């Protein structure tokens, strides 16, 4: 199994693949002043197994196109959407976020939780803009510094893993420059990381290597997940996810 396959296999068994919560998805939705009725369309990019997709379906009447690169995540999402009675409103599309099969101004709302870092925040917000109707909205969550300064060890770690990490105000500035009007932001609380993401993931740590015959690759993956969790516990006062809501300017 490739590194990617292992990563997908580990993360598909949990309800969400990144920090977040149903309550935060709802609060973010409340910051958007927009009718999301039957004739409206939402894209949920990097949807994973669909934690936020289900909330979008519950809270709106819009048609939802849920996009992910990995079929195994989309399969779980489809199961969830059928169980929830949303099969007719949620369409799963397997595609890469940097090569989306959409036309100009197709969507009233483009949503993406914990995924835009894959193509980079700046590139993502500027390339996805064309898919949003003028006057429509973008909602993205992205890792961000939550203080002005921080320990060198932490700075070095993130500069190596994701050099685009920036402060909340820097992220908002990028949105302004890309032609959006920011309408609000939320900083994700610790519960979104620990209770909703890391704790459920930790439950898989014992079984996962066994399932993969204790292969060095599987052991390595668990080790790096544990390091990430430890790192978060040590430095959580300095970084979190910011959830950014912005309107595409006419
Ligand atoms: N929104 C979900 C998943 C976030 S994890 C949640 O918050 O729970 C990031 C997601 O992006 C994963 O589901 C991963 O499969 C997906 N992904 C990775 N590379 C991608 C790409 N190039 N295009 C689209 N999705 C991608």
């Amino acid at each position: 199994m490739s590194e990617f396959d292992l990563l997908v296999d580990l993360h598909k068994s949990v309800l969400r693949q990144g920090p977040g919560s149903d309550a935060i998805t709802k609060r973010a939705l409340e910051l958007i002043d927009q009718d999301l009725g039957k004739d409206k369309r939402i894209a949920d990019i990097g949807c994973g197994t669909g934690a936020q997709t289900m909330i979008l379906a519950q809270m709106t009447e819009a048609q939802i196109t849920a996009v992910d690169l990995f079929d195994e995540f989309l399969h779980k999402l489809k199961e969830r959407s059928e169980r929830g009675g949303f099969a007719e409103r949620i369409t799963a599309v397997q595609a890469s976020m940097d090569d989306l099969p959409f036309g100009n101004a197709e969507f009233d709302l483009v949503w993406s939780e914990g995924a835009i870092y894959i193509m980079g925040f700046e590139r993502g917000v500027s390339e996805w803009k064309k898919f949003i109707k003028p006057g429509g909205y973008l909602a993205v969550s992205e890792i961000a510094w939550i203080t002005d300064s921080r320990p060198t060890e932490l700075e070095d770690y993130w500069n190596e893993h994701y050099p685009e990490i920036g402060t909340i105000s820097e992220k908002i500035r990028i949105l302004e420059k890309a032609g959006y009007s920011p309408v609000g932001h939320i900083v994700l609380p610790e519960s979104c990381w620990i209770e909703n993401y890391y704790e459920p993931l930790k439950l898989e740590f014992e079984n996962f290597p066994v399932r993969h015959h204790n292969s060095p690759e599987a052991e390595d993956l668990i080790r790096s997940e544990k390091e990430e969790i430890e790192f978060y516990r040590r430095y959580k006062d300095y970084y979190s996810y910011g959830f950014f809501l912005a309107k595409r300017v006419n």
Side-chain angles (χ1 to χ4, degrees), residues 4 8 15-19 44-52 67-70 73 95-98 112-115 117-118:
F4 256 128
V8 171
L15 285 180
R16 54 176 66 249
Q17 288 71 46
D44 180 12
I45 303 175
C47 59
T49 62
Q52 69 292 311
V67 182
D68 206 277
L69 189 61
F70 297 104
F73 286 152
S96 186
M97 61 173 75
D98 55 4
S112 180
E113 292 195 27
Y117 75 92
I118 290 156

Side-chain angles (χ1 to χ4, degrees), residues 22-76:
D22 292 355
I24 292 287
T25 299
K26 286 180 190 167
R27 208 185 301 164
L29 205 45
E30 279 165 12
L31 290 172
I32 293 172
D33 177 24
Q34 193 181 34
D35 161 35
L36 292 164
K38 285 189 175 63
D39 56 337
K40 303 295 162 117
R41 293 190 61 198
I42 303 173
D44 180 12
I45 303 175
C47 59
T49 62
Q52 69 292 311
T53 325
M54 298 303 289
I55 300 298
L56 292 171
Q58 282 165 25
M59 303 300 289
T60 74
E61 295 185 328
Q63 291 293 325
I64 302 170
T65 304
V67 182
D68 206 277
L69 189 61
F70 297 104
D71 192 43
E72 285 179 77
F73 286 152
L74 292 171
H75 184 75
K76 292 266 175 188

Side-chain angles (χ1 to χ4, degrees), residues 1 5-7 9-11 13 200-226:
M1 249 193 194
D5 292 336
L6 282 170
L7 203 64
D9 191 61
L10 174 65
H11 286 267
S13 41
L201 198 60
K202 271 165 78 178
L203 297 177
E204 305 296 316
F205 286 179
E206 219 167 291
N207 220 341
F208 181 80
V210 179
R211 235 176 341 113
H212 291 279
H213 313 289
N214 293 91
S215 75
E217 294 80 8
E219 304 269 12
D220 274 355
L221 177 59
I222 298 301
R223 198 171 311 120
S224 80
E225 297 280 353
K226 283 182 180 167

Side-chain angles (χ1 to χ4, degrees), residues 223-247:
R223 198 171 311 120
S224 80
E225 297 280 353
K226 283 182 180 167
E227 274 168 20
E228 187 192 308
I229 296 174
E230 187 41 42
F231 209 79
Y232 175 75
R233 284 195 189 279
R234 200 176 327 152
Y235 291 119
K236 59 187 159 53
D237 291 344
Y238 300 96
Y239 67 94
S240 185
Y241 261 72
F243 210 140
F244 303 93
L245 295 309
K247 186 175 186 170

